[in-house]
Structure formats: structure tokens, C-alpha cells
Amino acid sequence: MTIRLATRASRLAMWQTEHVASLLQKAGFATKIVPMQTTGDAIQDRSLAKIGAKGVFTEELEVSLRRGETHLAVHSAKDVQSTIPADLELLAFLEREQVNDVVLSFNEAFSLDKPGIVLGTSSTRRKAQLRRFYPEASTAEARGNLQTRLRKLEEGQFDALVLAYAGVHRMGYHHLVRATLPTHRFVPATGQGSIAIECAASLDEGLKAQLKAALDHPETHTCLLAERSFLHTMEGGCSIPSFALATLAGGVVRLHGGLISLSGEEYVEEIQEAPAADVLALGIAVADSVLNRGGREILASIRQHRG
């Protein structure tokens, strides 16, 4: 049979979906890619936080799954909302790429320590972390796909861009990386660096098992379950400056999660470990600790600020 793959139409999304298609073809499936435009792609004149809706990069793809028009939706895992509707499920997570945020500039001599620099990013989390760790820099909104952002950089709208390494590497722009931000400070967004595969819950169980076997990376899946459990408990999305990174070694998952205020001044983080079998409880425990130690007040302040 031919597996129809729903995807955003951006170059990065298409690269990711072509990668998924190649894995399925190796497993004996024929594939057809079905590109779509999402709300997040269509609205470029507002920040993601101001668009407000959850699933701004996934909703149209999910509709196609419900209608049976496609079998799988291919997402950047960090774009997937914290709660999946009951009629859909996350089937697989592909092996994770390097998770760091990186700084891109056409200027080979660029330095983050230079006073007065302007850093382009569309991420609420990155803006807050930059305000905390590089207070002499300023940030500017940088919406659009990677190529659009690089054009804006070339035009001089910013001195540098802050992006996820995974997308930069996949698109072949790693030669522009001037700094790799350490994950103990710039803890990434939930799921950053992985590709998530979503399907309708009603899809044939035997077919699901075959597709999962062809695509899923068990270690990555375990880590993302912990991160997504954290995010779900925080009731956060891509417009909330939360962060979470799970790592797995020797059957034990270490989860570093937290929340930062929009100004970067208030910062709550928590690190806990648990056996791999207990990752869902681990995510809840880390989130509850963050919420109880000031996170609720940070979230209330953010919501009040946005009206």
C-alpha cells in the first residue's frame, strides 16, 4: 500500500518528510507526500504568542488524518501541542539530532559578548533565556521559515539568529554557526531535535505496528515521553517559556525542566531522575516541583501580561 504523509510545505518540513519516506521505503512501503499550509505558516505578521491558538503548525495536518486523507503526519516534535486529542496518537519519534540552540551570523567575527547586538528569534523561551544570560543584547521577532530568516539576517535586520541546531544542520547551514549554546543554560524546548509521527487512533493496529517498527527510535521515544509529561502538566505550549530535556543512560532517565519569566529575571528549574519505566511520573514530578516553587506565579504573570 501507499502511505500518504501529511507535512508542512516549508523546505525543512519537506526534508524531514522525505527522510521519513526513505525509512518507510526501506521497510517496503510506497509513499506519497502531501504538503499543506498551516495557520502558523500563513500568519507571519504576528508572534506565535499573539496568534494564541495551540497547534498552529499541526492542526491542518491533523484534520487530514481524521478524514482519512493521509495515514501519517510528520511534525517537528517541538511543535506538537502538549495534549493530543483522543482520536489521534503520537506513534513514533525518530532518532534525535543534537539538541542545542545555536547562533548564526554571516559575520565570521561575530561575538555574543559584543554590547548592543540584536539577536533574531521567534521563540518566547529563547528571548527570555537571552535576556537572562546575555542582558546587554536585545532581541527582535524573526518569524518565517529558515530561508526567510536568513534573508532578513542578510538584510541587516539582526546581527545574528538563534535557532535549533537540528534544522540548521538538516538544511546545510551549519557553516554559519558562530556559537553553540550550552544545554545546562539554554535548556531546549520539549522535543527539540526530534521528528514526531502522528496518526489517527483508528488506524489498523497491524499497520501501526509495522510503521512504528520502521520509524521509532526507542531511546528518543522514552526521553520525549518524559519531556511531554512535563509539558502536559505545566499546561504549556510553544508560547510559554518552559523548557525540558531528558537524557537516558543505563536505564535511568534524567529530566531537567523549568520555566523562566518573560523578562528572564525569574527562573525556576528542577532536575530529577527515575527508571525508564517511570518517565510519565517523572515528568509530572518535575513539573509539580517547578509549579510549587514559583512556576505558578510566573505563568500567572505571563497570562496577565498578554491580557
Side-chain angles (χ1 to χ4, degrees):
M1 68 180 297
T2 298
I3 301 299
R4 294 171 62 85
L5 303 171
T7 177
R8 294 167 64 191
S10 72
R11 274 180 58 189
L12 177 56
M14 291 295 288
W15 183 97
Q16 293 178 166
T17 307
E18 287 163 4
H19 178 55
V20 170
S22 72
L23 294 173
L24 290 172
Q25 288 158 16
K26 287 177 185 175
F29 291 99
T31 60
K32 180 176 176 57
I33 294 175
V34 184
M36 302 176 184
Q37 186 179 55
T38 65
T39 302
D41 297 312
I43 302 175
Q44 293 290 326
D45 60 347
R46 278 173 277 164
S47 68
L48 293 175
K50 289 180 179 175
I51 295 174
K54 292 183 180 180
V56 294
F57 292 121
T58 60
E59 187 174 1
E60 288 77 6
L61 280 61
E62 291 176 333
V63 168
S64 79
L65 294 175
R66 289 192 175 99
R67 291 176 176 168
E69 297 165 353
T70 57
H71 299 93
L72 301 176
V74 181
H75 308 294
S76 290
K78 65 183 177 61
D79 292 337
V80 179
Q81 62 269 36
S82 57
T83 300
I84 301 297
D87 60 342
L88 301 173
E89 66 178 84
L90 291 175
L91 181 67
F93 294 101
L94 273 64
E95 184 172 6
R96 198 173 211 168
E97 173 71 88
Q98 181 178 323
V99 299
N100 300 69
D101 288 331
V102 292
V103 180
L104 272 67
S105 177
F106 290 105
N107 176 8
E108 293 184 13
F110 174 82
S111 171
L112 277 169
D113 297 319
K114 183 179 178 182
I117 55 173
V118 179
L119 301 170
T121 176
S122 61
S123 162
T124 304
R125 170 190 60 84
R126 291 185 186 117
K127 288 174 185 174
Q129 289 171 329
L130 289 165
R131 288 174 185 135
R132 181 174 185 84
F133 296 115
Y134 290 96
E136 293 189 4
S138 58
T139 61
E141 187 67 29
R143 288 294 314 283
N145 62 39
L146 181 53
Q147 289 72 31
T148 299
R149 296 185 203 195
L150 286 168
R151 176 180 53 77
K152 292 178 179 179
L153 176 62
E154 202 164 17
E155 291 170 354
Q157 295 188 30
F158 340 102
D159 296 300
L161 285 169
V162 184
L163 299 164
Y165 174 81
V168 171
H169 183 234
R170 289 165 185 162
M171 288 288 92
Y173 292 112
H174 42 278
H175 62 285
L176 297 176
V177 173
R178 307 302 175 207
T180 299
L181 300 174
T183 56
H184 71 278
R185 281 186 159 188
F186 288 82
V187 188
T190 292
Q192 184 160 304
S194 181
I195 298 169
I197 307 299
E198 189 177 23
C199 68
S202 59
L203 194 65
D204 177 78
E205 291 298 328
L207 179 58
K208 279 187 202 175
Q210 288 180 284
L211 295 170
K212 182 171 183 175
L215 299 172
D216 194 48
H217 186 253
E219 286 188 13
T220 300
H221 201 135
T222 297
C223 289
L224 264 65
L225 286 178
E227 294 173 20
R228 289 187 54 76
S229 175
F230 168 86
L231 185 67
H232 178 77
T233 308
M234 295 291 293
E235 296 185 355
C238 59
S239 64
I240 297 296
S242 66
F243 48 84
L245 178 61
T247 52
L248 174 62
V252 174
V253 176
R254 176 185 186 272
L255 178 61
H256 182 178
L259 183 67
I260 185 170
S261 64
L262 296 178
S263 67
E265 293 175 5
E266 298 163 89
Y267 186 85
V268 184
E269 63 181 341
E270 175 77 7
I271 299 172
Q272 292 187 26
E273 295 183 348
D278 298 330
V279 289
L280 298 180
L282 175 63
I284 294 168
V286 171
D288 282 344
S289 177
V290 169
L291 290 170
N292 292 335
R293 292 170 41 238
R296 284 192 179 87
E297 290 75 14
I298 293 174
L299 286 175
S301 174
I302 290 169
R303 288 168 182 144
Q304 184 176 26
H305 173 79
R306 291 178 178 162

